[in-house]
Amino acid sequence: EPTAAEKAIKYRQSAKTVMATHFGMLGGILKAEKFDEDAAEKQAEILDVVARLPWSKFGPGTEGGNAKPELWSNTAKFEEYRDLLLKSVDDLEEAEELDEFKKAFAGMGDACKKCHTEFRVKK
Ligand code: ASC
């Protein structure tokens, strides 16, 4: 039986795998020759839910996985990156034109990258 920490790590990694999959699907839609706005809106809707899932599973006692210990000693910074991500999915939800989707998409990728650079172990 996995420990509570192992379950938390599995959960947050799984949620991020799903998030990355939909992020990639949206990227494909935004690069396509003809913009399918309905398809982009569907992905934004999914991301707006999925992007909220991982964060409660980084609580005290869940150190490990691919996260650096610094994540638990600098939670303010971690939460700043999380909020940056959540702002970008709000922007995605509000986007109505290709340019707006692209801008929010870039913001989302930027938030992913900033947090990974600081808090994810280098592989
Ligand atoms: C992904 C993924 C990330 C982000 C990041 C965006 O698909 O797994 O960590 O996008 O590379 O900059």
Side-chain angles (χ1 to χ4, degrees), residues 67-97:
K68 290 183 186 171
E70 289 92 306
L71 190 154
W72 286 272
S73 56
N74 195 356
T75 50
K77 194 81 195 178
F78 181 60
E79 286 171 8
E80 185 186 315
Y81 292 140
R82 174 203 63 194
D83 291 347
L84 206 60
L85 177 78
L86 296 181
K87 171 71 171 65
S88 75
V89 291
D90 283 347
D91 292 344
L92 269 180
E93 274 280 61
E94 279 169 23
E96 286 173 354
E97 294 169 6

Side-chain angles (χ1 to χ4, degrees), residues 6-58:
E6 284 165 351
K7 281 185 190 167
I9 291 166
K10 180 83 184 268
Y11 180 96
R12 69 200 189 209
Q13 291 184 344
S14 306
K16 288 204 206 179
T17 298
V18 176
M19 176 162 40
T21 301
H22 287 281
F23 182 74
M25 289 167 78
L26 179 58
I29 290 162
L30 300 183
K31 273 198 298 197
E33 208 143 304
K34 192 179 178 315
F35 178 46
D36 184 344
E37 192 181 334
D38 286 347
E41 274 169 9
K42 259 181 208 135
Q43 293 306 321
E45 212 172 290
I46 294 166
L47 285 166
D48 196 30
V49 175
V50 174
R52 287 169 208 286
L53 299 181
W55 318 113
S56 70
K57 303 297 181 186
F58 283 92

Side-chain angles (χ1 to χ4, degrees), residues 16 20-21 23-24 108-110 112-113 116 120:
K16 288 204 206 179
T21 301
F23 182 74
M108 191 177 169
D110 206 43
C112 298
K113 197 177 273 175
H116 288 160
R120 186 170 66 177

